[in-house]
Amino acid sequence: MKETNSLKVETHCFHCGDNLPETAYFAEDKQFCCLGCKGVYQILSDHHLSSYYLYNDVPGSSQQKKAQHFNYLDEPGIAAELVDYTDPKVTVITLFIPVIHCSSCIWLLEHLHKINPAISQSRVDFLKKQVSITFKNQEISLRQVVETLSAIGYEPLISLQDMIKKQRTDHSERNLFTKIAVAGFCFGNVMLLSFPDYFGLNSFEQDFKNFFGWINLAFAIPVLLYSARDYFISAWTNLKNGVLNLDFPLALGIAVMFLRSAYEIITQTGAGFVDTLCSLVFFLLIGKWMQKRTYHYLSFERDFRSYFPVAVTQLKDGKEKPLPLNELKTGNRILIRSNEIIPADAILLKGEAKLDFSFVTGESLPVEKVLGEIVYAGGRQLNGAIELEVVKPVSQSYLTKLWNNEAFCGQRDPIKTFSDTASRYFSIVLVAIALAAGLYWISIDINKAVASFTAVLIIACPCALALSSPFTLAAVLSIFDKNKFYLKNTAVIEELARIDTIVFDKTGTITNPDAAGFDFSGKMDKYERQLVFDLARNSGHPLSRELVKWLNLRPQFLVEQYKEKVGRGINGCVDGHEVKLGSAAHLGLNTQDQGSVVHILIEHHYCGYFRSSQRWREGFKQLALKLGQQSDLHLLSGDQDHDRKLLTPFFPRTQQLHFQQSPQQKLDYILQLQQTGAKVMMLGDGLNDAGALKQSNLGIAVTDDINNFSPGCDAILDGAAFKKIPQLIKQAKDAVKVIHMSFVISLLYNAAGLFFAVQGLLSPLMAAILMPLSTITIILFTSLTARFYARKNHLL
């Protein structure tokens, strides 16, 4: 039998895993999608770092992008603002590298010294996607370090915000860990000293009873004054404002436990409730830590500076020089290259400006500017280099004013959680029961009245209630994390469960920036496709770039006599053949284009046309149908209404499709919905959505790279998880169910304890059993039930 399948044909790049073009690039026996990926492989191979590929099959990221200019890093003023430490011999800098994603990345970045011995040390913080590099500044410059990282596929993301050293060190989490450690240490020791009392004391141990009691009381003091002090501060602050939150019954229970324990130990009438006090505070702090867990490597409060570059190229006396952006002044002449961002409002002096303002305005079509016209900050140049004269500094540009617009601060109400609502009534009922028990016994036995009053406050302390929400929401937070949905805090989950109105932005939100494709009508052979590819790759027009990506060929021929008429078409001589691409009017065809169409003429022979097809995100149709059954759907787009007919089937009511909306109009629309009682969730991706995202009850930034710039929001949704929105909402609703069920369980434990407490029969042993038992029950129930619902919703 003849073996026909002995040869394995590779279809993916060895470095990054992308699909290979028809003519791949080779190095040794490996195939690559582009020269960039091939170059990275050769660098690693030359430095004996090929073990990088052993940790993961395709660990690298695609290198099909334009080279970045890092000349500005040679400026001492800029470098000084970026580095963490420097002296005459050594410099230390921490760089943010978004593409860090696996163990191979860590391994390679911590072996940079093998590529360049001048790099002394490098350490990776995987969660923050940062690498800290120590290098010998006499042997290698900061620019060369960054270029080394870029050469091996790990280009740092350096923005203007890196120049503003306002990175606050958050001591709150460190202090919380310390409080947990203190409470845990005291809890463990108190339990150890309390065991003889639990199981009965013989005559020998009886001699140490008082001694053990005093030691336990000593352990309770740091727990009360240090670990639990935030509960007292919060309870007192809220009481002064006329608010009863969950911290009030907690603080009351802790104080009563300590006072009664101190009284019993000092008067030698009992062992007190020190063990219950320490365990309560310890578990409460664990719950608080669970609730505070979030994504420190993501920024939910973005500043416009993180969108701007660090420096711009200044033209002065005929020379190009990097200029820090914060030094850019009115009258400066600047050079903006292809794919660079306009940092300040300026006048176009030279070149053809074709700008992508989709992030600022939401308009997906590029904007063309003529000489002498003002160009606003925030646009990304798509064509070749242009020269501009600055008319406003960065701080006064249109983009900065738009970002700092006071109307964008939002006037929405704070998120109200179930615990906040329940605690108000719980506190009143708890105090009422305690007073009733005390008043009942006061005429019979004053000691029993005090015992029953304090026992009710101790046993009914809402420990289980205080833990049900944090542990449930922390479990759901972890589930959302696995599904690429990142929340600012756990309270967002409960707000998500209340949503009844959903507002979508269009460009970049329901449309997939990387999914736009072409349909070809006509006939072309392989050679003719190559001619079209080589001509189109010379243009920066979005349709040309999409066409190059769609054809996916390897450059072969040089283009001569290249000409481009902005917005109309391109032509040139490719391998001796005249090739024209563009609109029907540009090519002199007697037809009218419908939509985005690119016609092809080769040697005056009409070959056909490519039609750009707008692609929605995967699963958008099913998503819209599901959400439309339970929620009111709206669309707010800054784009033109050329997609109205395509979008009509997805939205129940066409009057809720709104186009050409300014940022302020979007915000006002959200406000109008809220005034009718709607709970609004807004999904957007650009600066033009910033006000609406802040004003909505829940603002979600949709992005195809969670580490790239996105506006301030309550949550960040990876574009790959867009189709899971209905499941995520369902999981949030189920999480609220779990909280309600765990609240009922905690009430049952409290009812059992109150049965003994009101009779004045509560013993320290019973309190020591009921409190941890209810806590463990709640933790297990919430964690397991939340995961059960996650499997039911196909999120695990």
Side-chain angles (χ1 to χ4, degrees):
M1 182 182 291
K2 193 173 183 178
E3 187 174 337
T4 58
N5 297 322
S6 59
L7 181 64
K8 182 181 178 182
V9 180
E10 292 291 340
T11 60
H12 299 285
C13 175
F14 178 74
H15 177 74
C16 71
D18 283 0
N19 292 328
L20 293 173
E22 289 188 12
T23 306
Y25 297 83
F26 287 87
E28 300 174 1
D29 59 340
K30 310 296 190 300
Q31 297 185 65
F32 303 91
C33 65
C34 63
L35 286 171
C37 290
K38 176 184 174 182
V40 172
Y41 172 79
Q42 290 175 327
I43 291 173
L44 300 183
S45 179
D46 292 344
H47 291 87
H48 308 291
L49 292 171
S50 296
S51 298
Y52 169 73
Y53 296 98
L54 299 178
Y55 290 88
N56 295 276
D57 293 334
V58 281
S61 61
S62 176
Q63 299 301 299
Q64 299 184 40
K65 56 185 177 181
K66 297 181 180 179
Q68 296 293 317
H69 300 274
F70 298 110
N71 299 348
Y72 61 87
L73 295 177
D74 287 332
E75 289 295 313
I78 295 176
E81 293 290 338
L82 293 172
V83 301
D84 301 324
Y85 168 81
T86 188
D87 61 30
K89 294 183 179 180
V90 172
T91 298
V92 181
I93 186 170
T94 301
L95 297 168
F96 174 58
I97 303 181
V99 297
I100 296 176
H101 69 286
C102 66
S103 53
S104 290
C105 304
I106 299 173
W107 182 86
L108 178 59
L109 290 171
E110 294 192 345
H111 285 78
L112 292 175
H113 60 277
K114 291 188 176 182
I115 296 177
N116 194 321
I119 298 176
S120 309
Q121 179 179 291
S122 51
R123 289 289 179 266
V124 175
D125 185 329
F126 183 74
L127 288 179
K128 294 182 179 179
K129 297 183 184 293
Q130 291 179 339
V131 59
S132 179
I133 299 174
T134 304
F135 61 93
K136 302 170 185 175
N137 49 39
Q138 298 297 320
E139 300 177 27
I140 186 173
S141 67
L142 174 59
R143 172 184 171 183
Q144 290 171 325
V145 169
V146 172
E147 287 177 339
T148 298
L149 288 168
S150 183
I152 61 173
Y154 290 90
E155 182 181 309
L157 182 62
I158 305 174
S159 68
L160 181 60
Q161 197 160 20
D162 296 313
M163 299 281 289
I164 313 298
K165 293 294 183 180
K166 291 183 180 178
Q167 300 170 341
R168 294 174 290 115
T169 304
D170 187 7
H171 297 288
S172 60
E173 188 171 3
R174 188 183 303 172
N175 290 338
L176 182 57
F177 276 127
T178 306
K179 290 174 183 177
I180 291 173
V182 170
F185 173 78
C186 295
F187 171 46
N189 283 279
V190 168
M191 289 296 292
L192 183 66
L193 296 174
S194 299
F195 263 98
D197 196 38
Y198 294 158
F199 298 106
L201 297 168
N202 57 36
S203 57
F204 173 74
E205 292 163 332
Q206 191 70 34
D207 295 336
F208 291 91
K209 179 180 179 180
N210 295 334
F211 178 64
F212 287 164
W214 282 103
I215 294 178
N216 282 347
L217 187 61
F219 279 124
I221 292 174
V223 173
L224 176 77
L225 300 180
Y226 177 66
S227 297
R229 68 178 178 180
D230 289 342
Y231 293 101
F232 293 99
I233 294 171
S234 174
W236 176 248
T237 303
N238 282 281
L239 274 177
K240 287 195 297 184
N241 295 323
V243 178
L244 280 177
N245 66 343
L246 194 59
D247 290 339
F248 172 73
L250 289 172
L252 187 61
I254 292 169
V256 169
M257 267 187 271
F258 179 79
L259 292 173
R260 180 164 170 178
S261 299
Y263 172 78
E264 290 186 2
I265 291 170
I266 293 171
T267 60
Q268 300 183 15
T269 55
F273 297 86
V274 177
D275 47 357
T276 307
L277 166 64
C278 294
S279 67
L280 171 64
V281 175
F282 176 67
F283 285 118
L284 285 175
L285 292 175
I286 291 290
K288 180 180 283 189
W289 173 75
M290 294 290 288
Q291 198 164 16
K292 281 191 172 184
R293 281 199 314 167
T294 186
Y295 309 97
H296 300 292
Y297 59 94
L298 297 179
S299 176
F300 295 91
E301 299 294 344
R302 301 279 184 163
D303 189 285
F304 71 92
R305 288 177 297 232
S306 60
Y307 182 57
F308 280 163
V310 167
V312 67
T313 303
Q314 181 185 16
L315 297 174
K316 190 173 183 180
D317 300 327
K319 296 181 179 180
E320 298 180 9
K321 180 183 178 182
L323 179 71
L325 209 58
N326 54 2
E327 296 181 14
L328 190 62
K329 298 177 181 178
T330 301
N332 287 151
R333 188 161 181 159
I334 59 176
L335 175 70
I336 301 295
R337 301 181 179 89
S338 179
N339 210 40
E340 290 185 347
I341 294 169
I342 312 294
D345 298 348
I347 293 175
L348 180 63
L349 299 179
K350 186 177 179 181
E352 295 181 352
K354 185 180 286 288
L355 304 163
D356 176 9
F357 273 103
S358 60
F359 185 80
V360 179
T361 65
E363 173 60 69
S364 59
L365 297 178
V367 177
E368 299 173 11
K369 296 288 185 178
V370 298
L371 298 181
E373 194 172 358
I374 190 167
V375 178
Y376 291 105
R380 187 182 294 274
Q381 167 67 351
L382 300 177
N383 269 358
I386 56 176
E387 294 182 16
L388 305 158
E389 183 178 317
V390 177
V391 294
K392 290 182 182 178
V394 176
S395 61
Q396 297 178 21
S397 70
Y398 166 75
L399 180 68
T400 308
K401 288 183 178 179
L402 180 63
W403 188 272
N404 294 329
N405 188 346
E406 290 183 4
F408 282 16
C409 295
Q411 301 296 323
R412 69 179 183 186
D413 295 329
I415 297 175
K416 295 179 181 178
T417 63
F418 172 75
S419 295
D420 293 336
T421 305
S423 61
R424 194 180 313 149
Y425 303 102
F426 186 92
S427 301
I428 296 171
V429 173
L430 171 63
V431 174
I433 293 174
L435 287 172
L439 292 172
Y440 175 80
W441 289 106
I442 197 167
S443 59
I444 303 171
D445 186 344
I446 185 65
N447 292 327
K448 208 162 192 179
V450 174
S452 62
F453 175 78
T454 55
V456 169
L457 295 177
I458 292 171
I459 199 62
C461 182
C463 175
L465 173 61
L467 293 176
S468 60
S469 289
F471 278 91
T472 302
L473 299 177
V476 174
L477 202 68
S478 175
I479 293 163
F480 283 172
D481 180 23
K482 292 177 182 177
N483 288 276
K484 300 182 179 181
F485 185 39
Y486 311 95
L487 307 187
K488 185 177 180 179
N489 53 54
T490 54
V492 175
I493 298 173
E494 294 191 52
E495 191 70 4
L496 180 60
R498 302 187 188 103
I499 295 300
D500 54 26
T501 303
I502 301 176
V503 179
F504 292 97
D505 171 50
K506 184 177 80 71
T507 307
T509 302
I510 63 175
T511 61
N512 189 342
D514 297 323
F518 282 93
D519 298 318
F520 176 67
S521 296
K523 187 177 180 180
M524 281 196 305
D525 57 26
K526 185 176 180 180
Y527 176 72
E528 289 172 327
R529 285 175 177 254
Q530 184 68 53
L531 297 179
V532 171
F533 174 86
D534 286 326
L535 177 64
R537 64 186 293 267
N538 286 270
S539 171
H541 192 280
L543 288 178
S544 298
R545 289 185 289 139
E546 290 175 14
L547 182 56
V548 168
K549 187 186 296 184
W550 187 82
L551 288 170
N552 195 27
L553 297 174
R554 181 177 177 178
Q556 189 170 343
F557 302 118
L558 294 175
V559 178
E560 299 175 341
Q561 302 172 20
Y562 175 81
K563 294 181 181 179
E564 179 169 357
K565 292 190 176 180
V566 178
R568 297 177 63 188
I570 57 177
N571 59 275
C573 185
V574 188
D575 196 30
H577 298 281
E578 185 182 8
V579 183
K580 292 185 177 181
L581 305 177
S583 65
H586 177 65
L587 271 61
L589 303 175
N590 188 21
T591 182
Q592 189 171 0
D593 295 337
Q594 296 293 327
S596 301
V597 176
V598 179
H599 296 275
I600 304 149
L601 278 180
I602 299 179
E603 294 290 2
H604 304 289
H605 169 68
Y606 183 68
C607 299
Y609 63 87
F610 290 97
R611 183 185 298 276
S612 176
S613 55
Q614 178 65 67
R615 304 286 180 86
W616 312 118
R617 288 193 182 273
E618 183 183 355
F620 173 63
K621 182 177 180 180
Q622 295 78 4
L623 177 147
L625 291 174
K626 286 182 182 178
L627 293 178
Q629 294 172 0
Q630 298 179 342
S631 305
D632 195 18
L633 303 186
H634 300 252
L635 178 81
L636 296 178
S637 175
D639 207 346
Q640 303 294 324
D641 64 350
H642 43 71
D643 288 325
R644 181 183 289 275
K645 290 183 179 179
L646 295 173
L647 286 165
T648 299
F650 301 132
F651 291 85
R653 288 180 282 179
T654 56
Q655 65 268 31
Q656 293 179 178
L657 294 172
H658 301 275
F659 296 90
Q660 295 178 278
Q661 297 290 296
S662 69
Q664 187 64 49
Q665 287 174 321
K666 288 187 176 186
L667 186 152
D668 293 340
Y669 189 85
I670 297 292
L671 190 57
Q672 289 173 9
L673 290 175
Q674 291 173 327
Q675 288 172 349
T676 63
K679 293 288 185 181
V680 184
M681 177 172 77
M682 171 71 186
L683 293 101
D685 76 312
L687 179 60
N688 62 314
D689 303 314
L693 287 169
K694 288 186 178 182
Q695 178 60 49
S696 60
N697 299 87
L698 181 61
I700 300 178
V702 181
T703 175
D704 291 285
D705 185 348
I706 61 170
N707 298 297
N708 278 351
F709 181 88
S710 60
C713 56
D714 298 302
I716 296 175
L717 177 68
D718 193 301
F722 185 78
K723 61 183 178 181
K724 295 182 179 180
I725 291 176
Q727 298 157 259
L728 298 171
I729 295 175
K730 183 65 168 63
Q731 182 67 28
K733 293 180 184 293
D734 290 335
V736 174
K737 289 181 187 176
V738 175
I739 293 172
H740 292 168
M741 288 187 285
S742 59
F743 178 61
V744 172
I745 294 173
S746 67
L747 288 179
L748 292 176
Y749 272 107
N750 283 345
L754 285 172
F755 175 76
F756 297 99
V758 295
Q759 301 177 65
L761 301 175
L762 181 68
S763 67
L765 177 59
M766 186 177 296
I769 293 173
L770 280 177
M771 191 73 75
L773 186 62
S774 64
T775 299
I776 293 170
T777 303
I778 291 298
I779 292 173
L780 289 175
F781 175 78
T782 54
S783 300
L784 294 176
T785 311
R787 295 186 182 279
F788 165 77
Y789 280 119
R791 291 188 182 91
K792 184 179 176 182
N793 295 325
H794 305 291
L795 292 175
L796 282 181

